[in-house]
mmCIF file of all heavy atoms in Angstrom:
data_model
loop_
_atom_site.group_PDB
_atom_site.id
_atom_site.type_symbol
_atom_site.label_atom_id
_atom_site.label_comp_id
_atom_site.label_asym_id
_atom_site.label_seq_id
_atom_site.Cartn_x
_atom_site.Cartn_y
_atom_site.Cartn_z
ATOM 1 N N ASN A 1 100.163 105.938 120.203
ATOM 2 C CA ASN A 1 100.466 104.565 120.640
ATOM 3 C C ASN A 1 100.278 103.565 119.495
ATOM 4 O O ASN A 1 99.321 103.665 118.709
ATOM 5 C CB ASN A 1 99.591 104.136 121.800
ATOM 6 C CG ASN A 1 99.852 104.946 123.043
ATOM 7 O OD1 ASN A 1 99.217 105.947 123.309
ATOM 8 N ND2 ASN A 1 100.836 104.495 123.805
ATOM 9 N N ALA A 2 101.154 102.590 119.486
ATOM 10 C CA ALA A 2 100.877 101.414 118.664
ATOM 11 C C ALA A 2 99.771 100.607 119.349
ATOM 12 O O ALA A 2 99.795 100.416 120.561
ATOM 13 C CB ALA A 2 102.114 100.560 118.525
ATOM 14 N N MET A 3 98.839 100.147 118.569
ATOM 15 C CA MET A 3 97.678 99.430 119.118
ATOM 16 C C MET A 3 97.590 98.074 118.453
ATOM 17 O O MET A 3 97.943 97.901 117.276
ATOM 18 C CB MET A 3 96.390 100.204 118.839
ATOM 19 C CG MET A 3 96.363 101.602 119.433
ATOM 20 S SD MET A 3 96.349 101.594 121.215
ATOM 21 C CE MET A 3 94.800 100.780 121.561
ATOM 22 N N GLY A 4 97.101 97.112 119.209
ATOM 23 C CA GLY A 4 97.004 95.794 118.654
ATOM 24 C C GLY A 4 95.765 95.056 119.138
ATOM 25 O O GLY A 4 95.135 95.407 120.158
ATOM 26 N N TRP A 5 95.367 94.102 118.328
ATOM 27 C CA TRP A 5 94.291 93.179 118.715
ATOM 28 C C TRP A 5 94.879 91.784 118.889
ATOM 29 O O TRP A 5 95.711 91.310 118.072
ATOM 30 C CB TRP A 5 93.193 93.108 117.634
ATOM 31 C CG TRP A 5 92.301 94.301 117.628
ATOM 32 C CD1 TRP A 5 92.379 95.403 116.809
ATOM 33 C CD2 TRP A 5 91.158 94.504 118.453
ATOM 34 N NE1 TRP A 5 91.373 96.290 117.098
ATOM 35 C CE2 TRP A 5 90.589 95.761 118.106
ATOM 36 C CE3 TRP A 5 90.519 93.776 119.454
ATOM 37 C CZ2 TRP A 5 89.462 96.257 118.713
ATOM 38 C CZ3 TRP A 5 89.395 94.303 120.087
ATOM 39 C CH2 TRP A 5 88.856 95.528 119.679
ATOM 40 N N TYR A 6 94.472 91.120 119.934
ATOM 41 C CA TYR A 6 94.869 89.766 120.246
ATOM 42 C C TYR A 6 93.607 88.936 120.518
ATOM 43 O O TYR A 6 92.544 89.508 120.766
ATOM 44 C CB TYR A 6 95.756 89.759 121.495
ATOM 45 C CG TYR A 6 97.109 90.398 121.255
ATOM 46 C CD1 TYR A 6 97.222 91.774 121.183
ATOM 47 C CD2 TYR A 6 98.272 89.619 121.140
ATOM 48 C CE1 TYR A 6 98.455 92.387 120.980
ATOM 49 C CE2 TYR A 6 99.492 90.228 120.951
ATOM 50 C CZ TYR A 6 99.589 91.603 120.847
ATOM 51 O OH TYR A 6 100.821 92.224 120.647
ATOM 52 N N ARG A 7 93.757 87.630 120.501
ATOM 53 C CA ARG A 7 92.644 86.780 120.824
ATOM 54 C C ARG A 7 93.110 85.561 121.583
ATOM 55 O O ARG A 7 94.253 85.141 121.449
ATOM 56 C CB ARG A 7 91.854 86.383 119.597
ATOM 57 C CG ARG A 7 92.607 85.430 118.671
ATOM 58 C CD ARG A 7 91.786 85.225 117.397
ATOM 59 N NE ARG A 7 92.403 84.214 116.526
ATOM 60 C CZ ARG A 7 91.929 83.930 115.305
ATOM 61 N NH1 ARG A 7 90.884 84.566 114.827
ATOM 62 N NH2 ARG A 7 92.564 82.996 114.597
ATOM 63 N N GLN A 8 92.193 85.015 122.377
ATOM 64 C CA GLN A 8 92.508 83.794 123.107
ATOM 65 C C GLN A 8 91.307 82.856 123.094
ATOM 66 O O GLN A 8 90.241 83.203 123.604
ATOM 67 C CB GLN A 8 92.890 84.114 124.553
ATOM 68 C CG GLN A 8 93.430 82.900 125.329
ATOM 69 C CD GLN A 8 94.122 83.322 126.603
ATOM 70 O OE1 GLN A 8 93.967 84.429 127.108
ATOM 71 N NE2 GLN A 8 94.938 82.446 127.145
ATOM 72 N N ALA A 9 91.530 81.707 122.517
ATOM 73 C CA ALA A 9 90.482 80.679 122.458
ATOM 74 C C ALA A 9 90.639 79.793 123.717
ATOM 75 O O ALA A 9 91.746 79.698 124.283
ATOM 76 C CB ALA A 9 90.632 79.891 121.192
ATOM 77 N N PRO A 10 89.590 79.094 124.113
ATOM 78 C CA PRO A 10 89.643 78.213 125.266
ATOM 79 C C PRO A 10 90.774 77.177 125.136
ATOM 80 O O PRO A 10 90.868 76.534 124.094
ATOM 81 C CB PRO A 10 88.281 77.561 125.301
ATOM 82 C CG PRO A 10 87.412 78.532 124.607
ATOM 83 C CD PRO A 10 88.217 79.154 123.533
ATOM 84 N N GLY A 11 91.594 77.097 126.168
ATOM 85 C CA GLY A 11 92.653 76.111 126.160
ATOM 86 C C GLY A 11 93.848 76.459 125.317
ATOM 87 O O GLY A 11 94.780 75.644 125.197
ATOM 88 N N LYS A 12 93.862 77.642 124.725
ATOM 89 C CA LYS A 12 94.976 78.059 123.892
ATOM 90 C C LYS A 12 95.637 79.317 124.427
ATOM 91 O O LYS A 12 95.066 80.066 125.203
ATOM 92 C CB LYS A 12 94.494 78.279 122.450
ATOM 93 C CG LYS A 12 93.969 77.029 121.765
ATOM 94 C CD LYS A 12 93.665 77.303 120.311
ATOM 95 C CE LYS A 12 93.210 76.029 119.579
ATOM 96 N NZ LYS A 12 92.936 76.281 118.152
ATOM 97 N N GLU A 13 96.858 79.559 123.968
ATOM 98 C CA GLU A 13 97.549 80.778 124.353
ATOM 99 C C GLU A 13 97.006 81.986 123.591
ATOM 100 O O GLU A 13 96.394 81.843 122.519
ATOM 101 C CB GLU A 13 99.066 80.610 124.087
ATOM 102 C CG GLU A 13 99.739 79.569 124.966
ATOM 103 C CD GLU A 13 101.237 79.574 124.773
ATOM 104 O OE1 GLU A 13 101.726 80.316 123.915
ATOM 105 O OE2 GLU A 13 101.888 78.825 125.494
ATOM 106 N N ARG A 14 97.221 83.152 124.202
ATOM 107 C CA ARG A 14 96.795 84.395 123.544
ATOM 108 C C ARG A 14 97.589 84.541 122.234
ATOM 109 O O ARG A 14 98.789 84.365 122.196
ATOM 110 C CB ARG A 14 96.995 85.584 124.470
ATOM 111 C CG ARG A 14 96.312 86.831 124.003
ATOM 112 C CD ARG A 14 96.271 87.882 125.096
ATOM 113 N NE ARG A 14 95.426 87.461 126.197
ATOM 114 C CZ ARG A 14 95.063 88.288 127.198
ATOM 115 N NH1 ARG A 14 95.494 89.533 127.218
ATOM 116 N NH2 ARG A 14 94.345 87.826 128.174
ATOM 117 N N GLU A 15 96.882 84.959 121.173
ATOM 118 C CA GLU A 15 97.467 85.034 119.837
ATOM 119 C C GLU A 15 97.343 86.433 119.307
ATOM 120 O O GLU A 15 96.300 87.067 119.397
ATOM 121 C CB GLU A 15 96.706 84.058 118.930
ATOM 122 C CG GLU A 15 97.034 84.126 117.462
ATOM 123 C CD GLU A 15 96.067 83.353 116.570
ATOM 124 O OE1 GLU A 15 94.930 83.099 117.030
ATOM 125 O OE2 GLU A 15 96.426 83.007 115.441
ATOM 126 N N TRP A 16 98.413 86.922 118.730
ATOM 127 C CA TRP A 16 98.387 88.240 118.088
ATOM 128 C C TRP A 16 97.577 88.163 116.794
ATOM 129 O O TRP A 16 97.725 87.225 115.998
ATOM 130 C CB TRP A 16 99.786 88.701 117.774
ATOM 131 C CG TRP A 16 99.861 89.891 116.854
ATOM 132 C CD1 TRP A 16 99.446 91.164 117.122
ATOM 133 C CD2 TRP A 16 100.415 89.900 115.535
ATOM 134 N NE1 TRP A 16 99.688 91.992 116.052
ATOM 135 C CE2 TRP A 16 100.295 91.247 115.078
ATOM 136 C CE3 TRP A 16 101.013 88.952 114.730
ATOM 137 C CZ2 TRP A 16 100.716 91.631 113.820
ATOM 138 C CZ3 TRP A 16 101.441 89.331 113.479
ATOM 139 C CH2 TRP A 16 101.301 90.661 113.009
ATOM 140 N N VAL A 17 96.685 89.157 116.566
ATOM 141 C CA VAL A 17 95.826 89.186 115.389
ATOM 142 C C VAL A 17 96.263 90.269 114.404
ATOM 143 O O VAL A 17 96.435 90.021 113.229
ATOM 144 C CB VAL A 17 94.365 89.411 115.815
ATOM 145 C CG1 VAL A 17 93.460 89.524 114.582
ATOM 146 C CG2 VAL A 17 93.880 88.259 116.716
ATOM 147 N N ALA A 18 96.389 91.493 114.916
ATOM 148 C CA ALA A 18 96.707 92.615 114.036
ATOM 149 C C ALA A 18 97.227 93.780 114.875
ATOM 150 O O ALA A 18 96.948 93.850 116.069
ATOM 151 C CB ALA A 18 95.468 93.062 113.232
ATOM 152 N N SER A 19 97.967 94.668 114.206
ATOM 153 C CA SER A 19 98.445 95.840 114.896
ATOM 154 C C SER A 19 98.496 97.027 113.955
ATOM 155 O O SER A 19 98.551 96.838 112.713
ATOM 156 C CB SER A 19 99.832 95.594 115.517
ATOM 157 O OG SER A 19 100.755 95.208 114.517
ATOM 158 N N ILE A 20 98.466 98.208 114.521
ATOM 159 C CA ILE A 20 98.555 99.485 113.763
ATOM 160 C C ILE A 20 99.387 100.473 114.563
ATOM 161 O O ILE A 20 99.217 100.586 115.776
ATOM 162 C CB ILE A 20 97.113 99.993 113.468
ATOM 163 C CG1 ILE A 20 97.187 101.236 112.573
ATOM 164 C CG2 ILE A 20 96.347 100.287 114.756
ATOM 165 C CD1 ILE A 20 95.812 101.615 112.010
ATOM 166 N N ASN A 21 100.305 101.134 113.891
ATOM 167 C CA ASN A 21 101.123 102.090 114.626
ATOM 168 C C ASN A 21 100.596 103.498 114.447
ATOM 169 O O ASN A 21 99.536 103.735 113.834
ATOM 170 C CB ASN A 21 102.603 101.976 114.239
ATOM 171 C CG ASN A 21 102.869 102.450 112.829
ATOM 172 O OD1 ASN A 21 102.000 103.017 112.139
ATOM 173 N ND2 ASN A 21 104.085 102.267 112.396
ATOM 174 N N ARG A 22 101.298 104.457 115.003
ATOM 175 C CA ARG A 22 100.803 105.848 115.001
ATOM 176 C C ARG A 22 100.744 106.421 113.570
ATOM 177 O O ARG A 22 100.014 107.401 113.359
ATOM 178 C CB ARG A 22 101.665 106.701 115.912
ATOM 179 C CG ARG A 22 103.123 106.841 115.493
ATOM 180 C CD ARG A 22 103.912 107.687 116.471
ATOM 181 N NE ARG A 22 105.294 107.826 116.049
ATOM 182 C CZ ARG A 22 105.736 108.804 115.262
ATOM 183 N NH1 ARG A 22 104.873 109.683 114.776
ATOM 184 N NH2 ARG A 22 106.987 108.875 114.919
ATOM 185 N N LEU A 23 101.506 105.824 112.658
ATOM 186 C CA LEU A 23 101.487 106.258 111.261
ATOM 187 C C LEU A 23 100.454 105.476 110.450
ATOM 188 O O LEU A 23 100.432 105.609 109.218
ATOM 189 C CB LEU A 23 102.884 106.122 110.674
ATOM 190 C CG LEU A 23 103.983 106.915 111.349
ATOM 191 C CD1 LEU A 23 105.361 106.602 110.722
ATOM 192 C CD2 LEU A 23 103.701 108.408 111.343
ATOM 193 N N ARG A 24 99.676 104.670 111.127
ATOM 194 C CA ARG A 24 98.622 103.848 110.494
ATOM 195 C C ARG A 24 99.196 102.743 109.635
ATOM 196 O O ARG A 24 98.485 102.203 108.774
ATOM 197 C CB ARG A 24 97.661 104.699 109.706
ATOM 198 C CG ARG A 24 96.963 105.770 110.541
ATOM 199 C CD ARG A 24 95.999 106.613 109.724
ATOM 200 N NE ARG A 24 95.538 107.786 110.489
ATOM 201 C CZ ARG A 24 94.485 107.753 111.269
ATOM 202 N NH1 ARG A 24 93.760 106.645 111.395
ATOM 203 N NH2 ARG A 24 94.096 108.830 111.926
ATOM 204 N N LEU A 25 100.431 102.368 109.869
ATOM 205 C CA LEU A 25 100.961 101.186 109.223
ATOM 206 C C LEU A 25 100.414 99.958 109.920
ATOM 207 O O LEU A 25 100.386 99.919 111.152
ATOM 208 C CB LEU A 25 102.506 101.188 109.275
ATOM 209 C CG LEU A 25 103.180 102.309 108.506
ATOM 210 C CD1 LEU A 25 104.680 102.280 108.745
ATOM 211 C CD2 LEU A 25 102.869 102.204 107.032
#
């Protein structure tokens, strides 16, 4: 699976932080 980290600060929309695919890219 491609995996990702996201974050959400109070009052803000969820934001993409980083991702890694099955090939570790």
Side-chain angles (χ1 to χ4, degrees):
N1 293 94
M3 301 294 297
W5 285 97
Y6 292 74
R7 69 186 185 185
Q8 189 166 19
K12 296 187 177 181
E13 293 187 355
R14 193 167 294 189
E15 172 192 22
W16 168 65
V17 176
S19 59
I20 185 168
N21 70 7
R22 63 182 181 87
L23 300 177
R24 302 179 189 272
L25 295 176

